[in-house]
Amino acid sequence: MRSLRWAVRRYPLVVATLIVAVVAGILSVTPWHPAAPWILGAFALGIAARSAWSMIAALRAGTFGVDVLAVTAIAAAVAVGEYWASLVIVLMLTGGEALEDYAANRAKRDLSALLSLAPQVGHRLGVDGVAEDVPIADIVPGDVVVVRAGEVVPVDGTLESDEGEFDESSLTGESLPVERVRGDEVLSGGVNGAGAVTLRVTRAARDSQYQQIVSLVEAATSSKAPMVRLADRIALPFTAVAFAIAGAAWALSGEAVRFAEVLVVATPCPLIIAAPVAFMAGMSRSAREGAIIKSSATLELFHRARSFAFDKTGTLTRGTPSLVETRTTGTVDADELLRLAASAEQYSAHVLAAAVLDAAADRGLLLSASEDAQESTANGVTATVGTRVVAVGKRTFIGEAVGEDVPRTGLDSGEMAVYVAVDGVYAGALLFRDEARENARATVEALRAQGIERIVMLTGDDEPTARHVAAEVGITDVRANCLPADKVAAVGSISERPVVMVGDGVNDAPVLAAAEIGIAMGARGSTAASESADVVILRDDVSRVARALAVGRETIDVALQSMWVGIGLSILLMVIAAFGLLPALAGAWMQEGVDVVSILWALRATRGRGPVPAAGARAYADALHRDARAQPERA
């Protein structure tokens, strides 16, 4: 009974159409059967008039829709006495919204799953150690929260318990539970395992990973793609063709019923519903595979993409450089050089700054605070640490700080250097190594296998380091020593467009915005809501970039196929009806069948065609398999 009341409130015209059908059917077998055609005709014309009024309003607003076909078909069917056929067309019109809702819900079920998990309440520990249920908006960094068994982690935090196990499949697509130990970062949105754990909150709810993903999903579900506008443009010639076939059938046969029989199979559903459903299905599939696409327009750009540009550190490499050597000029010892550098770098968000801090922590060095730290983006940091003025960064940056050229320290292949000056004197260098990701080469090969014509690597690192990593991953076009403005200029100079830029989202916001498509590697929790990126990779896995491209291309293919399959079937049925071989009632039901075929075809975008084809397929699949087993889970 409750579901019936819901149906009446949600789809009143569908319910009314079914009631009219039942009443007319009962009257048809009673002495009052002459009333049945009048009821059917009056109801059908009433619905047609309602749709015509909406259609006129749309025309005044400059939008041409295909409802004119349905309205004309209803009127023609009633005029030639095909009352039941007119009611079937009415069912198509009134049931279109219900059909679209069903298809859209099927298409976006993975996106909906992300939204449905969004936590609203957290269990915050008070000073007395008792957990209190509070809205997650009231939880602030520094609070300690309890996450009970089977609950969704409400906010980002570090694990206070000795260990915990979390299902992060809704965030990353990784099906296996992830184990964490005390001190590890735990991102919101994962589901806690069998035992309760405590977390110390590191980000407020609005800044936490899962809430940012929810914002992305909400934006994605409301976007409209160019392909949908293409369907609007196809509507006018399709309508003209339908009227031409119907008019010719009437004129050549001399039978007005042929006009109605043709129009009842001129289904507009492939144009109205199929393309949007395909786009939503593709975006949902992409979310399931670990990439949130903010706008359906991005899918269309993916379909036409010709070039890719990659940031190096944190994108093609793991972004976790390790210290291999400390070289000092003798003005300070090695540990003091590292301590001073880390004390300055703690105010920077750069990947290498995190590496310096990790190295200092590994050696148990105590850092000092600074009140005047200043960062020069992509160059370095200056800060007063205690009584000493420290500069940390690129060789040219340190040269400017000391007022003379700083000698380039010797590097082995794959190494990079962070130079340090203390009190205006060059004091030494810290040498790091950042390995290329295992699947970076396979990803580059997969992109080429999909027809990408040009792949470029952009980095702020020196030429030798950049060339070494580029050779490992199979990229020959390298731009080294790039500042953010240089990266923007490099992307702007690429002639093969559209260009897709992939970066870690920390220092790459300008170049992500400059490209037609910006992809941010957002697994570390700091970039998921970046307004500069069009796509956010939820897992620290560069192979998802190639998968996102494949999803975009396959989605557009499916959208076009669903439109043309529906249109082709409609035209075939119109031709058959024009020769008098398809009665109006049978044609009306077959038109409903065409609608279903178009929508089911569009829903194929939720599955896709599988791995990337051609040369890179085997390497790509092998890399994915290796990564699923070996991918480190450092946040």
Side-chain angles (χ1 to χ4, degrees):
M1 193 65 182
R2 182 180 301 174
S3 60
L4 178 60
R5 287 197 299 269
W6 175 86
V8 171
R9 289 195 302 270
R10 186 71 179 85
Y11 308 112
L13 292 179
V14 176
V15 175
T17 302
L18 295 176
I19 291 174
V20 168
V22 171
V23 171
I26 293 173
L27 288 177
S28 297
V29 295
T30 67
W32 296 282
H33 63 86
W38 287 97
I39 292 175
L40 292 172
F43 181 76
L45 291 175
I47 296 296
R50 179 179 180 275
S51 297
W53 182 260
S54 300
M55 182 180 63
I56 292 170
L59 287 172
R60 287 176 176 172
T63 302
F64 180 83
V66 288
D67 281 352
V68 63
L69 285 173
V71 170
T72 307
I74 292 172
V78 171
V80 299
E82 296 286 352
Y83 301 108
W84 283 104
S86 70
L87 191 69
V88 174
I89 302 170
V90 167
L91 183 61
M92 182 275 293
L93 266 181
T94 58
E97 183 181 0
L99 190 61
E100 185 173 3
D101 284 350
Y102 166 77
N105 287 334
R106 281 287 308 277
K108 64 181 181 182
R109 56 187 172 186
D110 293 290
L111 292 172
S112 300
L114 284 171
L115 291 174
S116 65
L117 284 174
Q120 304 298 322
V121 174
H123 316 302
R124 184 173 62 190
L125 287 180
V127 293
D128 55 358
V130 177
E132 175 189 10
D133 288 352
V134 297
I136 61 170
D138 294 344
I139 297 175
V140 298
D143 286 346
V144 176
V145 297
V146 176
V147 184
R148 295 167 182 160
E151 286 187 339
V152 176
V153 179
V155 290
D156 296 352
T158 55
L159 189 62
E160 292 279 291
S161 302
D162 291 335
E163 60 183 20
E165 188 176 83
F166 302 89
D167 176 3
E168 297 181 350
S169 58
S170 62
L171 294 174
T172 66
E174 175 58 61
S175 58
L176 297 176
V178 178
E179 295 181 355
R180 306 289 189 197
V181 297
R182 182 188 296 273
D184 283 352
E185 184 173 21
V186 178
L187 298 180
S188 57
V191 179
N192 187 26
V197 297
T198 56
L199 303 177
R200 184 166 298 277
V201 178
T202 55
R203 298 185 186 93
R206 65 179 180 275
D207 300 321
S208 290
Q209 174 85 340
Y210 200 66
Q211 293 302 316
Q212 294 173 359
I213 292 173
V214 166
S215 298
L216 292 176
V217 171
E218 290 173 343
T221 55
S222 62
S223 63
K224 184 177 181 180
M227 190 62 63
V228 179
R229 294 191 288 272
L230 172 62
D232 295 339
R233 293 196 297 271
I234 294 175
L236 183 58
F238 177 73
T239 301
V241 168
F243 277 120
I245 295 175
W250 184 2
L252 294 175
S253 68
E255 300 176 5
V257 70
R258 297 281 183 89
F259 184 81
E261 289 173 347
V262 169
L263 289 187
V264 296
V265 295
T267 173
C269 184
L271 297 177
I272 297 174
I273 301 177
V277 166
F279 275 91
M280 191 57 64
M283 295 167 71
S284 183
R285 174 188 167 202
S286 182
R288 183 175 70 244
E289 296 187 4
I292 296 291
I293 298 176
K294 288 185 182 181
S295 166
S296 51
T298 301
L299 292 169
E300 196 271 340
L301 284 171
F302 265 142
H303 193 258
R304 297 188 290 110
R306 297 174 59 197
S307 302
F308 264 72
F310 284 90
D311 174 49
K312 181 185 75 69
T313 306
T315 304
L316 293 173
T317 64
R318 293 204 175 276
T320 55
S322 56
L323 181 68
V324 295
E325 186 180 353
T326 302
R327 293 178 181 171
T328 176
T329 60
T331 54
V332 294
D333 64 32
D335 280 352
E336 180 65 5
L337 182 72
L338 178 57
R339 190 190 75 82
L340 291 173
S343 296
E345 289 277 48
Q346 65 183 315
Y347 302 99
S348 172
H350 196 274
V351 171
L352 281 178
V356 173
L357 291 171
D358 288 342
D362 290 342
R363 296 192 184 182
L365 303 177
L366 296 178
L367 306 187
S368 301
S370 174
E371 296 182 355
D372 63 352
Q374 293 186 338
E375 181 172 14
S376 174
T377 303
N379 280 307
V381 178
T382 58
T384 301
V385 179
T387 60
R388 316 197 76 167
V389 178
V390 180
V392 187
K394 298 173 69 172
R395 185 175 63 86
T396 53
F397 178 73
I398 299 304
E400 294 175 0
V402 301
E404 61 184 20
D405 287 340
V406 171
R408 189 186 300 273
T409 191
L411 299 173
D412 291 334
S413 294
E415 290 183 347
M416 62 194 79
V418 174
Y419 294 82
V420 186
V422 179
D423 294 330
V425 177
Y426 172 56
L430 308 174
L431 273 61
F432 293 87
R433 181 183 295 276
D434 186 13
E435 300 293 339
R437 295 177 185 267
E438 289 183 7
N439 54 10
R441 175 177 280 275
T443 300
V444 171
E445 291 176 358
L447 293 175
R448 291 199 174 105
Q450 294 183 71
I452 297 302
E453 302 171 19
R454 188 173 182 184
I455 300 178
V456 183
M457 189 179 82
L458 309 176
T459 178
D461 288 341
D462 289 339
E463 187 84 14
T465 301
R467 290 288 176 188
H468 173 78
V469 173
E472 281 193 69
V473 302
I475 296 176
T476 56
D477 192 345
V478 181
R479 316 291 175 85
N481 295 303
C482 289
L483 297 174
D486 299 325
K487 292 183 180 181
V488 171
V491 166
S493 68
I494 296 175
S495 57
E496 297 87 349
R497 309 194 81 86
V499 178
V500 182
M501 175 66 200
V502 188
D504 64 9
V506 178
N507 296 312
D508 296 323
V511 69
L512 290 176
E516 279 83 0
I517 300 176
I519 301 181
M521 301 290 291
R524 289 182 173 84
S526 61
T527 63
S530 173
E531 294 182 359
S532 59
D534 303 293
V535 181
V536 177
I537 305 297
L538 299 180
R539 188 180 175 194
D540 196 16
D541 179 359
V542 73
S543 69
R544 305 291 169 172
V545 171
R547 288 303 304 152
L549 177 66
V551 169
R553 294 191 162 179
E554 292 173 11
T555 298
I556 297 298
D557 290 342
V558 169
L560 288 170
Q561 291 165 8
S562 63
M563 288 168 55
W564 292 117
V565 165
I567 290 173
L569 289 174
S570 295
I571 292 176
L572 176 63
L573 292 176
M574 282 190 277
V575 172
I576 294 173
F579 286 96
L581 303 176
L582 192 60
L585 181 57
W589 283 114
M590 292 189 75
Q591 176 243 39
E592 294 283 358
V594 172
D595 292 352
V596 173
V597 168
S598 299
I599 289 174
L600 290 178
W601 196 288
L603 286 172
R604 290 173 61 245
T606 60
R607 300 187 302 274
R609 294 193 293 265
V612 177
R618 179 57 61 94
Y620 178 79
D622 291 345
L624 279 181
H625 180 66
R626 287 196 308 271
D627 193 67
R629 292 183 288 118
Q631 181 74 36
E633 293 290 345
R634 182 180 180 214

